[in-house]
Amino acid sequence: MISVKNLHKSYGKLEVLKGISCEVQASQVVCVIGPSGSGKSTFLRCLNLLESITSGTVVINGHDLSDPKLDTVVVRKDVGMVFQQFNLFPHMKVLDNIMIAPIKVAKKSKAVTRERALELLAKVGLSDKAGVYPRALSGGQQQRVAIARALAMEPTVMLFDEPTSALDPETVGEVLLVMKQLAQEGMTMVVVSHEMGFAREVADHVIFMDQGVIVEEGEPAEIFEHPREVRTRAFLSRVS
Ligand code: ADP
Ligand code: MG
């Protein structure tokens, strides 16, 4: 579903990604962990065209992101993203936040979109919040709306960039639960997170990044119980 080969990304002279290669199979959940500044967000942003690629290739669901004839609208529809800051539209009610992109970008009919948006709200456990504004919701609830909004475009891949880092501790669990359900339904997911419990339980594969490279990767049990690299061990001893 995702194939990344020797991806480099620089901002001016600063080389942030120094040759990332990895594969994500359909329905796999890959967790990316690593210290702050290691390039995790930049990596995700390169996967959904929020950043241009300096060199290397990224192919997602058959779309070659370096193809000059690439249909960016199709790719953005195919690759959903959830951010640390939920980025909901504050002046729109919850249901309208979920409906806006399918109507404006994917040109779907209002009736179909509305039905689907209500289903998605039910899925994230917020059926009763369709008519309220984001400010009336807790952080965890806003993040669940943001997940529903991303799903409304019917993506084939979902990217999560530290989706629970800005939340009060007591609302982290409800967001992780929605993500776990999504994983169990077979969504292909790449998740940057410091929630090691989630990574251990839900991830099929864990990637440890540091200073713009993949230092180590493998099954969660391997990475968490028997890390091979000194840098991985040092990181894990700081976060767990
Ligand atoms: P992480 O998500 O792992 O904390 P980031 O991908 O956000 O790391 O950042 C990696 C490095 O790239 C950092 O040194 C950061 O300052 C730099 N960086 C990120 N975005 C930009 C940008 N738009 N312009 C210049 N430097 C950037
Ligand atoms: Mg980041």
Side-chain angles (χ1 to χ4, degrees):
M1 185 64 79
I2 304 177
S3 172
V4 178
K5 295 206 177 87
N6 205 18
L7 169 62
H8 288 254
K9 172 68 189 176
S10 301
Y11 296 106
K13 285 200 178 114
L14 178 68
E15 192 179 34
V16 174
L17 299 180
K18 302 170 184 164
I20 300 280
S21 299
C22 67
E23 305 260 319
V24 180
Q25 310 302 322
S27 296
Q28 246 190 347
V29 177
V30 173
C31 278
V32 181
I33 61 173
S36 179
S38 56
K40 306 180 298 297
S41 293
T42 304
F43 174 54
L44 284 195
R45 293 166 64 85
C46 285
L47 297 184
N48 80 338
L49 300 172
L50 285 174
E51 295 291 353
S52 61
I53 291 165
T54 304
S55 68
T57 58
V58 176
V59 180
I60 298 192
N61 195 24
H63 311 296
D64 179 349
L65 301 197
S66 52
D67 180 353
K69 293 189 299 262
L70 184 73
D71 186 339
T72 53
V73 174
V74 171
V75 175
R76 293 219 168 90
K77 204 182 143 301
D78 244 10
V79 184
M81 185 144 171
V82 173
F83 302 88
Q84 183 175 341
Q85 304 297 340
F86 335 113
N87 300 330
L88 296 175
F89 297 114
H91 60 292
M92 285 183 187
K93 290 177 179 170
V94 162
L95 197 64
D96 296 324
N97 262 281
I98 300 174
M99 290 173 63
I100 180 94
I103 290 171
K104 296 283 180 203
V105 182
K107 312 287 182 204
K108 292 269 173 66
S109 86
K110 221 170 171 177
V112 169
T113 302
R114 191 184 155 81
E115 201 169 310
R116 173 85 181 126
L118 288 168
E119 280 171 24
L120 287 168
L121 267 184
K123 187 192 186 76
V124 301
L126 292 171
S127 289
D128 54 333
K129 302 295 185 189
V132 309
Y133 287 96
R135 64 173 175 274
L137 301 179
S138 72
Q141 290 172 330
Q142 289 191 51
Q143 192 60 299
R144 286 187 279 153
V145 173
I147 293 172
R149 180 181 59 175
L151 292 173
M153 291 297 272
E154 301 181 333
T156 42
V157 174
M158 283 282 282
L159 311 177
F160 295 84
D161 192 359
E162 300 201 29
T164 60
S165 296
L167 300 180
D168 291 329
E170 69 266 29
T171 68
V172 167
E174 66 196 46
V175 172
L176 293 178
L177 188 65
V178 166
M179 291 168 62
K180 187 176 161 187
Q181 281 164 359
L182 204 55
Q184 284 167 344
E185 288 167 15
M187 178 61 78
T188 308
M189 295 164 53
V190 181
V191 182
V192 172
S193 180
H194 296 295
E195 294 293 331
M196 298 301 150
F198 178 84
R200 271 172 205 257
E201 192 189 347
V202 180
D204 299 295
H205 194 77
V206 175
I207 289 176
F208 171 66
M209 273 180 72
D210 191 17
Q211 297 180 14
V213 298
I214 294 178
V215 173
E216 180 165 0
E217 60 181 308
E219 291 184 6
E222 225 178 293
I223 299 293
F224 291 118
E225 315 304 337
H226 309 287
R228 292 184 302 272
E229 301 293 330
V230 176
R231 277 193 277 175
T232 318
R233 278 185 230 139
F235 173 75
L236 290 174
S237 70
R238 287 201 302 275
V239 295
S240 355

